[in-house]
Amino acid sequence: MDYTQLLHTLQNAIPTAIWYLIPFFLVAAVIKSPWFKGKSGEAVVNLSAKLFLDKTRYHLIKNVTLPTEDGTTQIDHMIVSRYGKFEVETKK
């Protein structure tokens, strides 16, 4: 049996298949990165607050910096209503 035809086919097919995998691995690396997780978490909180909270009762304030004894602290989302103040911290 002549294996040269099979080897020639494999040599031409493998580089083509690898080019399809490179974008897949790049997208997977971006999705697993802390930057993407932080951005997507912020987007979920913003979208949820916009869709599910009544705008006449709740007010969303984003990226609040408050002074503390040690310096400052940052709160990602603060929801203020007559029922109280709610803080939403997204993981990064």
Side-chain angles (χ1 to χ4, degrees):
M1 180 171 188
D2 187 20
Y3 292 110
T4 57
Q5 181 67 27
L6 178 64
L7 290 175
H8 182 62
T9 304
L10 286 176
Q11 285 176 342
N12 290 335
I14 289 175
T16 305
I18 290 175
W19 282 110
Y20 289 109
L21 292 176
I22 291 172
F24 174 76
F25 285 120
L26 287 175
V27 169
V30 168
I31 288 174
K32 298 289 267 180
S33 70
W35 171 83
F36 182 80
K37 289 180 181 180
K39 291 292 183 184
S40 63
E42 298 251 347
V44 166
V45 171
N46 287 332
L47 185 64
S48 297
K50 186 175 183 179
L51 291 177
F52 298 118
L53 293 180
D54 185 14
K55 290 176 183 42
T56 60
R57 292 186 180 181
Y58 299 97
H59 182 70
L60 176 65
I61 304 170
K62 297 183 256 183
N63 297 327
V64 178
T65 303
L66 300 173
T68 62
E69 296 172 356
D70 300 337
T72 60
T73 185
Q74 184 174 2
I75 300 170
D76 294 333
H77 299 88
M78 185 182 295
I79 300 171
V80 181
S81 73
R82 60 180 158 182
Y83 307 113
K85 174 186 65 122
F86 304 96
E87 298 175 13
V88 180
E89 185 71 28
T90 55
K91 291 285 184 181
K92 293 183 182 178

